Amino acid sequence: MSKVILYFRVVQVSLCSTWRQVRIVYSTCKMSDILAEAVKGAAAHPRPEGIQFAYGTAGFRDKSTILDPVLYRMGLLAALRSKAKKATVAVMITASHNPEPDNGVKLVDPMGEMLEESWEEHATDLANAKDEDIGSALQRIIDAVDIDISLPSDVFVARDTRPSGPPLTQALLDGLKVMGSTFTDFGILTTPQLHYLVRCHNSKGAYGEPTEEGYYKKLAQAFLKLRKDAGAKKKYEPVVIIDGANGVGALKTRKLQSHLHESLRITVCNDGSSGKLNEKCGADFVKVQQKPPAGLEIQPGQRCVSFDGDADRVVFFYVNKDGVFNLLDGDKISTLIAGYLGELVSASGLQLNIGVVQTAYANGSSTRYLEDVMKVPVSCAKTGVKHLHHKALEFDVGVYFEANGHGTVLFSDQAEQKIKAASQDDSLESSKREAATRLTLMMDLINQTVGDAISDFLVVETILSTRDWAAEDWNMQYRDLPSRLLKIKVKDRTAVQTTDAERCATAPAGLQEAINKLVAKYQQGRSFVRPSGTEDVVRVFAEADTQANADMLAHEVSVQVYQLAGGVGDQPQPPCAP
Ligand code: 16G
Ligand code: ZN
């Protein structure tokens, strides 16, 4: 006799004006019914023929017009993930720095971490299952992970400002409803805000109040306390221009502003009132183009900040009195933060090791500065936030940043306890206790779940103010080597394989040897190639003593990729003489 298991299933979820009030009506049903309904529900979200989706470094990302079925399926998957973790998980709908017509979706684990890597495969399988096979695809995941389907599930949902966001959210919610999951739709949030909320919720408030207001309050309180004793400044000006990439970062900075009172004068440009999301603006544009975004009027020396489309990346820049553009990217930010936290740790007398995690894209000057001048250990991780995050966990205080401006600081539980205890230890010298107190405030200011443009921006402002530095003083810590990033189209980008955190190519045969020979021709030359995780291209990075040499080295390596890895179209042309 076959066993019939009855499960509770939510059949009605009503969201009231305040999101905390969710009315839930339960009924009972069988697991086979849930799977059958998941298949039935797919009729409203049919999967197009001939498209293969892949859960990449930043989840699924594509033209928004083809993502509806993926969102529906991610609703199904998020419910399973929540059951598997016995906790609330989150789903963010965004395509970050990509153009406005794109969109994407990624799952967030209970403590605000990226989705565990082993589930990326489940996500890809489910996204590619035919409509009629959704039930068996779900069953495969349930069996593989051994999920107790009778457990409840709960999911937080948010999106960026893209016009495709609302209908895609609807598709996601349809998936959640079919699974009988409860959910909270927060509407428009930055990616890091959603990460913060799910962590607060699951840690029962220990990380902060699980509301958007709670996020602003936590950051602003720490920021204002860290500024309290600041004396008169000669160089640091509390005036900053923010390029909001015409996205959610602009809206949320406006909300933060009222909490900061008069401590910082922020002008938000590219706030979405006229321009398009990420078009000629935002952190990615500024980093890649090495020039200021459109829509900003900048005085020499004025400190400016660019966020990306979902506000998880930040870069700073200024134009000097000769009109020369200067970028302060993720490498400069991590160096600044590691230096300051290192000083606080020494001043507190605590035995904590600090390390910095970078990727192969980090400017060689930054790595040398950290290792040779600051004597800070540096680890290199593969591109993609999850790899850096993972490595940063190896330190008591792990500072990780990608050169593109995505990064944060992780404090181990043990470090956190030691710092908090020292800040309350009356037997300690007051200077030590004070340093520990500043460290606790820095921990509150830093969003440890994921890189957060708003939080990182406030951290940098705090350090610059404490040091009484203008952007130029910060920039002078070390001089970036000129670099160039190119992309090459090939028949199959997986023909290029790498090892040693992407610094060495293991395939195609002969490519690394060719790169080594080319690099040897240039002063301070360095180059590596890697298949992109988000675009169908191979990326080529090169740096050297001069811009012309960096450009030429990047070009010569590109030609090797083109010839050895099956280049498509015309062979790359040498850079034009300046
Ligand atoms: C994604 C990654 C970013 C990485 C970029 C590289 C996350 C959240 N985002 O945007 O960290 O720098 O991919 O793109 O992990 P690429 O593989 O196309 O060069
Ligand atoms: Zn982003």
Side-chain angles (χ1 to χ4, degrees):
M1 199 181 76
S2 69
K3 205 164 60 172
V4 177
I5 306 172
L6 292 179
Y7 299 105
F8 282 112
R9 176 157 176 276
V10 182
V11 292
Q12 188 192 338
V13 177
S14 359
L15 279 178
C16 306
S17 52
T18 58
W19 66 267
R20 303 294 308 164
Q21 297 163 278
V22 184
R23 202 159 62 84
I24 303 164
V25 181
Y26 289 95
S27 78
T28 52
C29 66
K30 289 182 287 182
M31 175 149 109
S32 55
D33 289 349
I34 296 179
L35 300 186
E37 287 215 22
V39 175
K40 223 162 80 192
H45 305 283
R47 193 185 173 283
E49 290 287 316
I51 296 179
Q52 277 295 112
F53 297 104
Y55 196 101
T57 33
F60 294 103
R61 227 174 251 189
D62 227 308
K63 297 273 160 279
S64 61
T65 44
I66 60 166
L67 281 174
D68 178 275
V70 177
L71 269 289
Y72 171 69
R73 289 144 198 255
M74 286 310 101
L76 306 175
L77 188 76
L80 286 190
R81 182 69 184 154
S82 171
K83 288 173 195 284
K85 297 299 287 181
K86 300 187 179 68
T88 301
V89 298
V91 182
M92 182 71 197
I93 301 172
T94 178
S96 182
H97 59 280
N98 289 122
E100 188 170 281
D102 291 3
N103 215 327
V105 56
K106 52 189 171 190
L107 269 65
V108 181
D109 268 350
M111 283 299 130
E113 328 90 303
M114 306 266 165
L115 176 67
E116 186 185 303
E117 213 166 338
S118 63
W119 274 64
E120 293 181 3
E121 222 172 281
H122 299 318
T124 301
D125 272 0
L126 191 57
N128 290 316
K130 287 189 180 142
D131 296 347
E132 62 274 23
D133 294 340
I134 281 185
S136 43
L138 287 171
Q139 188 67 64
R140 272 199 302 278
I141 301 169
I142 293 165
D143 293 343
V145 188
D146 195 14
I147 300 170
D148 179 353
I149 188 93
S150 70
L151 289 172
S153 57
D154 185 44
V155 179
F156 283 5
V157 179
R159 60 186 156 88
D160 69 16
T161 53
R162 286 177 160 80
S164 57
L168 290 178
T169 304
Q170 201 44 58
L172 179 84
L173 299 188
D174 285 355
L176 290 171
K177 286 176 195 163
V178 157
M179 295 297 286
S181 183
T182 53
F183 59 84
T184 307
D185 178 6
F186 287 91
I188 293 173
L189 287 182
T190 70
T191 295
Q193 284 179 328
L194 182 65
H195 284 247
Y196 163 90
L197 288 174
V198 76
R199 176 145 171 183
C200 290
H201 177 79
N202 286 311
S203 55
K204 310 270 175 280
Y207 193 68
E209 194 188 302
T211 63
E212 192 185 333
E213 270 305 292
Y215 168 89
Y216 300 123
K217 271 197 239 155
K218 180 176 177 186
L219 262 51
Q221 271 171 17
F223 181 75
L224 292 174
K225 281 189 192 157
L226 282 159
R227 292 216 149 196
K228 216 159 86 196
D229 313 318
K233 305 289 170 201
K234 288 201 188 92
K235 292 184 173 171
Y236 175 79
E237 300 251 11
V239 180
V240 72
I241 298 180
I242 291 186
D243 154 28
N246 289 317
V248 56
L251 308 180
K252 302 306 181 185
T253 304
R254 290 247 162 83
K255 286 195 162 184
L256 170 80
Q257 256 171 317
S258 60
H259 295 265
L260 299 179
H261 311 303
E262 297 306 309
S263 61
L264 196 55
R265 259 193 291 141
I266 304 174
T267 307
V268 182
C269 298
N270 296 331
D271 62 355
S273 52
S274 52
K276 275 220 161 76
L277 180 68
N278 297 326
E279 196 171 272
K280 296 199 172 73
C281 62
D284 199 61
F285 174 88
V286 172
K287 168 77 181 158
V288 174
Q289 303 291 327
Q290 301 270 327
K291 62 179 185 194
L296 260 68
E297 272 187 33
I298 315 167
Q299 299 303 315
Q302 170 63 60
R303 207 166 53 258
C304 303
V305 183
S306 273
F307 293 172
D308 76 336
D310 60 339
D312 61 356
R313 287 191 197 177
V314 61
V315 295
F316 285 69
F317 61 91
Y318 67 97
V319 176
N320 71 13
K321 57 182 182 338
D322 302 321
V324 178
F325 171 83
N326 285 272
L327 179 71
L328 296 140
D329 62 2
D331 301 335
K332 291 264 176 183
I333 297 174
S334 67
T335 311
L336 182 80
I337 296 178
Y340 184 62
L341 293 181
E343 277 176 26
L344 287 181
V345 167
S346 317
S348 69
L350 291 167
Q351 295 301 315
L352 299 173
N353 67 52
I354 293 200
V356 170
V357 185
Q358 304 183 318
T359 68
Y361 287 114
N363 198 277
S365 294
S366 73
T367 316
R368 272 189 291 279
Y369 184 78
L370 282 161
E371 286 179 334
D372 301 346
V373 181
M374 289 174 54
K375 310 284 181 212
V376 171
V378 179
S379 295
C380 189
K382 273 165 67 176
T383 304
V385 174
K386 63 181 176 222
H387 302 297
L388 288 101
H389 193 98
H390 194 69
K391 267 239 172 294
L393 291 169
E394 291 171 10
F395 299 99
D396 292 326
V397 182
V399 181
Y400 75 82
F401 268 87
E402 288 192 311
N404 62 27
H406 187 124
T408 186
V409 185
L410 305 181
F411 294 84
S412 69
D413 289 346
Q414 200 201 6
E416 209 160 321
Q417 281 161 17
K418 282 188 185 171
I419 292 168
K420 282 187 178 152
S423 73
Q424 290 159 7
D425 183 352
D426 291 337
S427 67
L428 271 187
E429 279 165 49
S430 66
S431 61
K432 288 188 174 165
R433 211 173 49 235
E434 218 165 272
T437 303
R438 279 188 87 77
L439 277 171
T440 59
L441 292 170
M442 290 300 279
M443 287 195 295
D444 278 348
L445 190 55
I446 291 163
N447 185 345
Q448 291 189 54
T449 63
V450 76
D452 181 335
I454 292 179
S455 152
D456 289 339
F457 152 64
L458 293 175
V459 169
V460 169
E461 288 298 318
T462 300
I463 301 173
L464 293 181
S465 162
T466 307
R467 295 216 185 290
D468 193 13
W469 277 0
E472 200 153 24
D473 302 297
W474 172 19
N475 200 23
M476 271 162 29
Q477 276 197 291
Y478 64 83
R479 232 185 80 197
D480 275 326
L481 275 176
S483 64
R484 178 63 62 202
L485 183 61
L486 297 176
K487 51 182 173 184
I488 309 297
K489 268 207 166 304
V490 293
K491 271 190 238 96
D492 173 12
R493 70 191 200 268
T494 60
V496 173
Q497 281 168 26
T498 65
T499 184
D500 190 20
E502 300 173 324
R503 289 174 291 192
C504 182
T506 50
L511 179 58
Q512 189 56 46
E513 290 74 12
I515 294 174
N516 293 346
K517 272 195 198 143
L518 292 170
V519 164
K521 294 195 319 188
Y522 295 91
Q523 290 282 326
Q524 295 179 281
R526 187 171 71 92
S527 179
F528 68 92
V529 301
R530 55 176 283 275
S532 158
T534 63
E535 256 186 280
D536 203 10
V537 295
V538 172
R539 301 210 191 277
V540 173
F541 175 89
E543 68 184 20
D545 56 343
T546 64
Q547 191 60 57
N549 283 347
D551 290 351
M552 191 48 89
L553 176 55
H555 165 69
E556 289 178 334
V557 172
S558 299
V559 171
Q560 291 301 319
V561 172
Y562 179 88
Q563 289 177 352
L564 297 172
V568 170
D570 296 337
Q571 180 162 312
Q573 292 303 303
C576 312

